Amino acid sequence: MNKRDTTSAAVGSASLSTVNITVGTAGHIDHGKTQLVKLLTGCDTDRLPEEKARGMTIDLGFATAALPNDRRVGIVDVPGHERFIHNMVAGVTGIDVVLLVVAADDGVMPQTVEHFHIVRILGVRKGMVAITKVDLVGPERVKEVESEVRNLAAGSFLAGCPVVGVSSKTGQGFDAFYDTFVATVDETPERDPGGPFRLYVERSFVLQGRGVIVSGVPRSGTVRLGDSLDLLPGRAAKRVRGIQVYGVDAGEGHAGECVALNMAGLAPDEVTRGCVLTAPGFFHERALLNAKLAILPGEEEAIKPRMAVRFHIGTSDVPGYLVLHSQSPPRVDGEAYVQLQLKRPVVAAPGDPFIVRRLSPERTLGGGRILAPAQRRIRRSKAEWVAACREQESAFQAPDSAIAYVLAHADAPMKLSDLSRAALVTEAAARTALEALLDAGGGVHLGADSYVHVRHFQETRAQLLAALGRLHEEQPLSTGFAKKDIVHGLGADKLLLQRAFDVLQETGEVGSGRAGFFLPSRVPRLSPEKAALAAKIAERYRETAFAAPRLAEVPEQVGAPAALVEPLVRHLVQTGELVEIDPKVILHKDRVGECREKLVAYLEAHGTIDAGAFRDLIGTTRKYAIPLLEYWDRQGLTRREGDLRSLKGGARMGR
């Protein structure tokens, strides 16, 4: 059995292990892509009656190639005709290796060039070239075509790649082609199955007795039997009740494999090519996207600052506008930050490759990578927008930088689960990245699974210090302020404020006392004149005992203006020299202590006391007696039962 027989005989075996890589064909129409795939796999990927009748690939085809050591790899066969370029783009957006096919009789043709540039822009980094139909020409012509291919690939990822001749009709050169194919696959790093699951639907169909089947090559992540997935557009949760990988039943499917999913509760008209199945809550539809665009050679001169295009991402394509941030188009083979303003939202994530095509004449303009969804339309010549694009481009290269970026741009503290979704990484990866960020001092744990970027934390600290400073300016004799007065108008998260308060106290930047929080550097120090007036006020309250003046009466009694007296009274209350019994009654601390002693002694002797007896006990009037009794209730000294008070909780004279 030769290699041709070996490859086709083992393809359907369930014992083959999967290589998490997808190979995609590319090339001009009628250059033999489908025939070559059939030679390699034994599978005819032209499944539509129209394809059979016309002898031309119209839609995507899928096959599996057997590799040595009981392995298999998936192949996506794409159409070569320019009218079906949208199908071609849908097929190659998920590939890792390109098999560029060039016919020996035709050589490099227009779709050869366009397909080459499309896979280059989409970020494919490994490939080989097959020169087909070598049975129709002589060796010199094969060399000429190889030279054309080398010139096309110069300076690209295909520069220096293997170029082999093969005939799908006679089998000439197949062994060398197969060995090169296997070596190219083996040299390609397998797709990392990490990240949240996402599959752009390439096909959907109804299988009798099973229901709706959707298939495609997952862009990221792993799907398992029983998983619930979001179906976008919309957000209908659907359960996975069956999985096949390369046509074989499996318990799970991974990024880079050809996966077919049997979805429970899915109607045939709910899903079409362009829909996306994703891990719940990770991905969203957006109509505004910031991106980095590379223009194909020869296309840059006619680009307008705002031009209508066809936007291709995953397996979907929508109309929209390509907007430059300046009036100048990108230079030849250059790159530029752009915004894509689409007429219909799509599912796109940072790092996703895309293609944009002209509407008239229809041809590929360029493509690149998504940076991030945009919140608003750009205005050209905005330097800050370009800076933001650069930051986004750098941020989503790895989980660590993505977590730091998301946390830095969050409007409020975030939980780990929300961080992982916003950064599009698994919770395990988010936890590892977050721990590294915290260890490096780039983030702060607020408690209760809540985290904030250190920049926001420092901003909150600065806001608290500024608010305290303003209060000190407004009330220079105050020795402290209530937290509610400090945070009024700041609008920060409660956990963030509390943690910031704690740290400010730990570092000594903020002090706390009986009057509240204060800046140690702003503790009031009375001038000799104010100190003398304060002493006079305190003495007046001590002298008047339980018939102390109201605040409005004090200025006349001490012979000083209210503007001086009232702040000093508040100062004496905060320092404890005076005690505010209620908003209208202020007493000297000595008199309050005297009242307590008399009340405790009376209650220990008699058990209870009413308002009249208390009034007589301290020699005052009801105007002072009632507020004082209520004060002792609030202080926890007494308990009220009807008109009587008794000692509460074992209060004693010495307490």
Side-chain angles (χ1 to χ4, degrees):
M1 181 179 286
N2 60 28
K3 290 183 179 180
R4 291 173 60 189
D5 298 327
T6 302
T7 57
S8 59
V11 165
S13 173
S15 63
L16 296 179
S17 63
T18 298
V19 177
N20 290 345
I21 287 171
T22 298
V23 179
T25 64
H28 197 78
I29 184 174
D30 199 32
H31 275 206
K33 296 185 294 299
T34 301
Q35 291 85 351
L36 185 59
V37 171
K38 185 175 181 179
L39 181 70
L40 179 61
T41 67
C43 177
D44 184 357
T45 57
D46 281 349
R47 55 187 172 80
L48 301 177
E50 185 180 356
E51 291 176 317
K52 301 289 189 184
R54 299 172 64 179
M56 180 177 70
T57 300
I58 296 172
D59 204 354
L60 303 178
F62 300 89
T64 307
L67 303 174
N69 302 321
D70 295 327
R71 298 173 300 146
R72 61 187 170 188
V73 67
I75 300 177
V76 179
D77 184 32
V78 305
H81 197 286
E82 62 178 344
R83 288 196 292 114
F84 305 113
I85 198 72
H86 58 285
N87 289 340
M88 180 270 174
V89 174
V92 298
T93 54
I95 71 171
D96 306 283
V97 178
V98 64
L99 174 57
L100 183 62
V101 178
V102 183
D105 53 349
D106 282 344
V108 172
M109 296 289 282
Q111 253 48 62
T112 310
V113 177
E114 185 169 21
H115 283 205
F116 162 73
H117 284 306
I118 287 173
V119 295
R120 176 177 63 82
I121 290 172
L122 288 174
V124 178
R125 290 292 176 262
K126 197 70 178 176
M128 62 174 289
V129 178
I131 299 179
T132 57
K133 303 184 181 183
V134 294
D135 56 304
L136 301 180
V137 300
E140 290 302 318
R141 175 57 182 164
V142 174
K143 290 182 180 179
E144 289 177 6
V145 174
E146 180 177 353
S147 178
E148 291 177 10
V149 170
R150 295 293 185 193
N151 290 335
L152 174 65
S156 76
F157 74 101
L158 284 180
C161 76
V163 179
V164 293
V166 63
S167 169
S168 299
K169 183 177 181 179
T170 67
Q172 176 186 340
F174 178 79
D175 286 353
F177 165 75
Y178 179 73
D179 290 342
T180 302
F181 177 84
V182 171
T184 302
V185 170
D186 287 345
E187 292 168 4
T188 304
E190 291 196 54
R191 189 86 63 89
D192 182 0
F197 180 77
R198 180 171 46 138
L199 179 147
Y200 285 95
V201 176
E202 293 177 341
R203 287 182 63 200
S204 66
F205 54 93
V206 177
L207 192 62
Q208 189 68 31
R210 292 198 177 186
V212 176
I213 308 295
V214 297
S215 65
V217 179
R219 178 68 56 83
S220 61
T222 297
V223 62
R224 298 176 177 85
L225 284 172
D227 282 355
S228 288
L229 301 176
D230 284 346
L231 175 62
L232 303 174
R235 192 161 295 281
K238 304 297 179 182
R239 183 175 60 84
V240 179
R241 65 182 179 188
I243 300 175
Q244 284 195 343
V245 177
Y246 299 116
V248 178
D249 289 340
E252 58 185 38
H254 306 281
E257 299 175 337
C258 291
V259 175
L261 303 177
N262 183 2
M263 305 300 297
L266 186 61
D269 59 354
E270 281 188 272
V271 58
T272 59
R273 177 176 292 172
C275 291
V276 188
L277 287 169
T278 76
F282 277 88
F283 299 94
H284 306 274
E285 301 160 271
R286 296 288 187 266
L288 294 179
L289 301 169
N290 292 339
K292 193 169 189 179
L293 174 73
I295 301 297
L296 296 190
E299 296 290 340
E300 70 286 339
E301 291 183 4
I303 295 178
K304 300 176 182 178
R306 175 181 170 85
M307 66 180 298
V309 295
R310 194 81 187 176
F311 172 76
H312 297 255
I313 190 164
T315 57
S316 64
D317 61 281
V318 300
Y321 292 95
L322 175 66
V323 182
L324 302 175
H325 74 277
S326 70
Q327 297 289 339
S328 302
R331 59 180 176 80
V332 177
D333 285 336
E335 295 180 318
Y337 294 117
V338 299
Q339 186 173 89
L340 296 155
Q341 300 174 0
L342 307 177
K343 294 185 178 181
R344 189 172 70 247
V346 297
V347 177
D352 281 356
F354 69 90
I355 293 291
V356 287
R357 305 194 79 231
R358 293 180 182 275
L359 299 184
S360 179
E362 291 188 17
R363 66 173 185 267
T364 302
L365 173 66
R369 297 278 168 169
I370 300 299
L371 301 179
Q375 301 301 316
R376 59 185 63 86
R377 296 174 184 270
I378 63 168
R379 297 175 180 174
R380 290 192 294 274
S381 302
K382 290 292 184 181
E384 63 270 20
W385 181 84
V386 174
C389 285
R390 290 197 181 100
E391 186 182 13
Q392 291 167 348
E393 182 180 13
S394 173
F396 289 96
Q397 300 294 322
D400 286 9
S401 55
I403 288 293
Y405 175 86
V406 168
L407 206 58
H409 289 80
D411 295 329
M414 299 186 71
K415 297 183 181 299
L416 178 65
S417 59
D418 296 327
L419 268 172
S420 72
R421 284 174 169 79
L424 299 178
V425 298
T426 63
E427 284 202 20
R431 183 178 293 106
T432 300
L434 186 58
E435 288 172 354
L437 185 67
L438 296 178
D439 290 343
V444 178
H445 183 204
L446 304 178
D449 188 31
S450 187
Y451 303 88
V452 69
H453 195 274
V454 67
R455 185 178 72 195
H456 297 323
F457 187 75
Q458 299 295 9
E459 288 172 353
T460 301
R461 288 182 59 181
Q463 289 171 353
L464 288 171
L465 292 173
L468 262 175
R470 287 193 296 271
L471 289 173
H472 276 297
E473 288 289 340
E474 295 166 2
Q475 304 175 47
L477 295 183
S478 180
T479 61
F481 305 93
K483 185 184 294 184
K484 65 180 180 62
D485 296 326
I486 300 170
V487 304
H488 179 70
L490 295 185
D493 177 82
K494 290 182 179 179
L495 279 176
L496 174 55
L497 286 170
Q498 185 57 57
R499 182 64 184 136
F501 261 114
D502 292 344
V503 170
L504 287 172
Q505 290 183 264
E506 291 168 5
T507 59
E509 295 171 84
V510 169
S512 62
R514 60 186 297 140
F517 297 93
F518 60 89
L519 297 175
S521 61
R522 302 292 291 274
V523 173
R525 289 172 175 78
L526 301 181
S527 65
E529 295 79 8
K530 288 184 178 179
L533 180 56
K536 186 175 182 180
I537 293 170
E539 180 60 22
R540 181 59 185 161
Y541 273 100
R542 194 184 68 78
E543 290 173 349
T544 52
F546 301 109
R550 299 294 199 217
L551 180 58
E553 300 169 342
V554 177
E556 183 179 352
Q557 293 184 15
V558 299
L564 285 177
V565 171
E566 291 180 5
L568 286 172
V569 170
R570 296 300 174 194
H571 175 78
L572 292 168
V573 168
Q574 290 183 336
T575 58
E577 189 71 17
L578 301 180
V579 179
E580 188 174 61
I581 304 303
D582 76 1
K584 293 183 178 180
V585 177
I586 297 175
L587 300 177
H588 194 278
K589 65 176 183 178
D590 292 349
R591 299 308 185 190
V592 175
E594 177 186 329
C595 173
R596 187 183 192 281
E597 292 176 3
K598 289 181 178 181
L599 179 58
V600 171
Y602 185 94
L603 291 174
E604 288 180 337
H606 300 90
T608 62
I609 192 172
D610 62 17
F614 178 70
R615 177 197 62 202
D616 296 339
L617 178 68
I618 63 173
T620 188
T621 64
R622 286 182 61 85
K623 184 171 72 172
Y624 294 92
I626 298 302
L628 268 167
L629 284 173
E630 293 173 348
Y631 172 80
W632 293 124
D633 292 342
R634 293 194 303 273
Q635 295 297 310
L637 179 67
T638 55
R639 178 192 299 109
R640 181 176 180 178
E641 298 175 0
D643 293 333
L644 299 177
R645 259 87 172 183
S646 59
L647 284 177
K648 181 180 180 180
R652 292 294 182 266
M653 280 287 292
R655 291 186 62 191

